[in-house]
């Protein structure tokens, strides 16, 4: 039975921002919010470690994974077989690089050393600069090894095993950490720093030049594009400062803080609220911001071989986004892990590594055979009767629903309903509840879902008078002058705010009125219905209330006390 004061409502999901709040299981979400099947993703190997900090692939297609907080290196063969390759004495293997002869270099923390490991897993200390952290490594064209360190922000160029730190020092920056390094074929070395967000270029003669000074704190990753552009991932907080250095540490990533969310759209060049951003530094020295986010933290980037943008691995539900050079963003896929730590290619394949748990995935190519999308949860504010669900799609999409009374779906929710296939709509069979969620299942490679609508009727909850205040005698309440609104707007039912008209709350002004007694009250309606009020009175000793004023929209009323006989009155 539908109660009078409650009105049916429509819940519509059709904007990209709303769709991204849901869970993408084997589906992609494009720049317009369209949901399609994602590229196939396959878990290759689980290290059983909490974190993967670094990765590298050799010429034969073997992949090496540096982990924490046990400081282990795993080797994954081209056929996906994974084995422990080397167990270092340190806690974290933050950097890996493959030498020209296939040797593996590993940078460790917090007792910063660089190990050289042969194909059999035998390791020797290659370089020991007496630095706390080895954050980054890069092989230069002459075969020497560039080493980025912290907490003194030094860059070393190491030409042979056992070289001293003094003889190998390339540059002692004023930064705290050299988080990222990359080298191009022309002999240039690029360095990303913390805590001033610099991208430095060192030409073959060792002379530094600052290419970028970001307002964000840390340049966490650097990749070189096919056209010589440099892609830089910048973060507003320091991953270096948050990375665990003891086996008991729990939080490897940036501490989650409340980030300001812009109320109006901003240029992607406005980084005042950004938690992470991707720059493209052009070969001529100019730079563009191609992506930024006020709430998503990027952890890794991969430069597309087409030259048009990057993949961005994030801590946003372990998602991977694709961003073009002109700023168009697509959610490529979502993993089941907390964050995507590194992105790289080996042969014809793309790989992603994750943390919590430390796993490696191969992805790309043909679409998954099946994918699903789970919507954000509707909070109807009250137990609701569900009406119809209908959607806009192509290629065949099935929809299911479930409902429950807890904010997060759990074992107390109803099971997923039978699949609905008619996009024109069907009656929802899920039981009456406060919350609803829908799931779309895609099995056709050409399937696409653009919009879903749900009608529902919340149970009416009676409004409440929360408080009543009686003002002193001779103090009256009068309404402020009303805002003049075009009557055509009022009759149209449109919100005046659409036209820039702000209607202030009906706050009365206090005036002197001889003999006046004024009432002021607060009220609430859980269904959000518009309230009107009737005021009644009776003299003490009387039984029945008399109507004094009806259909008030204001939450105050002034009584002409001179019009009432002397006595004591009760107002309702």
């Amino acid at each position: 039975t539908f109660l009078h004061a409650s009105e049916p409502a429509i819940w519509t999901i059709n904007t990209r921002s709303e769709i991204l709040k849901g869970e993408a299981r084997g589906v992609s979400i494009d720049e317009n919010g369209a949901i399609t099947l994602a590229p196939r993703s396959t878990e290759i190997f689980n290290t059983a470690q909490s974190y993967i900090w670094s990765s590298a692939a050799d010429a034969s297609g073997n992949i090496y994974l540096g982990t924490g907080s046990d400081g282990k290196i795993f080797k994954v063969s081209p056929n996906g077989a994974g084995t422990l390759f080397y167990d270092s004495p340190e806690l974290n293997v933050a950097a890996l690089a493959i030498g020209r002869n296939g040797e593996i270099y590993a940078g460790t923390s917090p007792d910063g050393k660089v190990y050289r490991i042969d194909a059999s897993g035998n390791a020797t200390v290659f370089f020991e600069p007496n630095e706390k952290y080895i954050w980054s490594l890069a092989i230069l064209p002459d075969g020497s090894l560039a080493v980025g360190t912290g907490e003194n922000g030094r860059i070393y160029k190491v030409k042979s095993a056992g070289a001293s730190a003094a003889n190998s020092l390339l540059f002692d920056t004023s930064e705290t950490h050299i988080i990222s390094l990359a080298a191009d074929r022309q002999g240039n070395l690029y360095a990303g720093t913390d805590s001033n967000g610099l991208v430095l270029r060192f030409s073959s003669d060792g002379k530094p030049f600052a290419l970028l000074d970001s307002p964000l704190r840390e340049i966490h990753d650097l990749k070189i594009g096919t056209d010589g552009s440099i892609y830089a991932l910048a973060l507003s907080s320091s991953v270096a400062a948050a990375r665990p250095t003891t086996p008991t540490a729990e939080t490897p990533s940036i501490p989650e803080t409340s980030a300001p969310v812009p109320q109006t759209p901003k240029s992607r060049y406005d980084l005042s609220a950004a938690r992470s951003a991707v720059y493209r530094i052009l070969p001529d020295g100019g730079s563009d911001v191609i992506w930024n986010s006020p709430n998503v933290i990027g952890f890794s980037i991969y430069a597309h071989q087409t030259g048009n943008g990057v993949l961005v691995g994030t801590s946003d539900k372990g998602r991977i986004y694709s961003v073009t050079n002109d700023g168009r963003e697509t959610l490529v896929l979502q993993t089941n892990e907390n964050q995507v730590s590194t992105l790289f290619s080996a042969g014809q394949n793309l790989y992603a590594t994750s943390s919590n748990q430390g796993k490696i995935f191969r992805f790309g190519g043909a679409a998954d055979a099946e994918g699903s999308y789970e919507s954000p949860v509707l909070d109807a504010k009250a137990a609701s009767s569900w009406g119809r669900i209908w959607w806009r799609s192509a290629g065949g999409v099935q929809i299911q629903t479930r409902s429950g009374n807890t904010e997060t779906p759990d074992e107390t929710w109803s099971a997923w309903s039978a699949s609905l296939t008619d996009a024109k709509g069907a009656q929802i069979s899920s039981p009456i509840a406060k919350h609803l969620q829908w799931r779309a299942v895609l099995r056709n490679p050409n399937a696409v879902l653009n919009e879903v609508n749900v009608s529902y009727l919340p149970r009416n909850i009676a409004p409440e008078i929360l408080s009543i205040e009686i003002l002193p005698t001779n103090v009256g309440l009068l309404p402020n002058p009303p805002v003049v609104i075009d009557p055509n707007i009022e009759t149209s039912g449109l919100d005046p705010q659409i036209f820039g008209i702000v209607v202030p709350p009906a706050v009365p002004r206090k005036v002197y009125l001889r003999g006046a007694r004024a009432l002021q009250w607060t009220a609430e309606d859980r269904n959000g219905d518009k309230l009107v009020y009737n005021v009644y009175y009776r003299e003490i000793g009387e039984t029945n209330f008399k109507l004094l004023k009806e259909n008030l929209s204001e939450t105050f009323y002034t009584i002409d006390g001179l019009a009432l006989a002397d006595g004591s009155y009760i107002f309702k």
Side-chain angles (χ1 to χ4, degrees), residues 23-24 41 296-297 299 312-321 331-341 343 352-356 361:
E23 300 292 334
S41 173
V296 173
I297 303 169
F299 270 88
V312 183
T314 75
S315 64
D316 174 32
K317 303 178 181 179
R319 289 175 165 179
I320 299 173
Y321 295 85
L331 170 59
V332 177
L333 60 88
Q334 176 179 322
T335 71
N336 292 321
E337 308 307 317
N338 284 4
Q339 69 186 37
V340 175
S341 302
L343 290 165
T353 66
S354 64
S355 290
N356 285 333
F361 301 85

Side-chain angles (χ1 to χ4, degrees), residues 85-260:
F85 183 65
Y86 177 65
D87 190 353
S88 79
E90 282 73 52
L91 299 177
N92 297 293
V93 180
L96 290 170
I98 308 296
R100 289 198 299 182
N101 297 316
E103 68 274 24
I104 294 91
Y105 293 99
T108 65
S109 300
D111 183 15
K113 295 183 178 68
V114 178
Y115 294 88
R116 181 168 60 188
I117 312 168
D118 65 21
S120 300
N122 300 312
T124 57
V125 175
F126 178 74
F127 182 58
E128 190 169 4
N130 196 29
E131 303 278 0
K132 186 173 183 179
Y133 301 105
I134 306 295
W135 290 123
S136 49
L137 301 172
I139 303 295
L140 296 170
D142 64 2
S144 58
L145 180 69
V147 180
T149 70
E151 299 171 311
N152 296 308
R154 297 185 179 123
I155 304 172
Y156 297 90
K157 182 179 180 181
V158 187
K159 296 182 179 179
S160 61
S164 69
N167 292 334
S168 303
L169 183 64
L170 176 65
F171 194 70
D172 187 355
T173 73
S174 58
E175 294 292 274
T176 306
H177 303 283
I178 306 300
I179 297 295
S180 50
L181 289 171
D184 65 18
R185 296 176 181 176
Q186 289 70 45
N188 296 303
L189 176 68
Y190 302 91
T193 76
D194 173 292
S195 56
N196 286 307
L198 303 178
V199 176
L200 306 175
R201 181 184 63 202
F202 296 85
S203 55
S204 55
D205 61 5
K207 181 176 174 57
F209 182 77
L211 293 175
L212 178 70
D213 182 0
S214 172
L216 303 187
R217 171 171 176 163
E218 177 182 302
I219 304 298
H220 189 67
D221 200 2
L222 289 171
K223 291 295 188 294
I224 298 174
T226 55
D227 65 348
S229 295
I230 309 300
Y231 294 96
L233 171 63
L235 307 181
S236 63
S237 300
S238 174
V239 170
R243 184 169 291 185
T245 56
T246 66
T248 57
E250 294 293 334
T251 306
S253 57
I254 298 173
E256 291 294 332
T257 56
S258 296

Side-chain angles (χ1 to χ4, degrees), residues 52 54 77 85 112 131 133 172 325 331 374 494 504 532 536-537:
I52 292 178
S54 53
S77 66
F85 183 65
E131 303 278 0
Y133 301 105
D172 187 355
N325 288 338
L331 170 59
E374 294 180 8
L494 293 171
V532 292
Y536 299 85
Y537 76 102

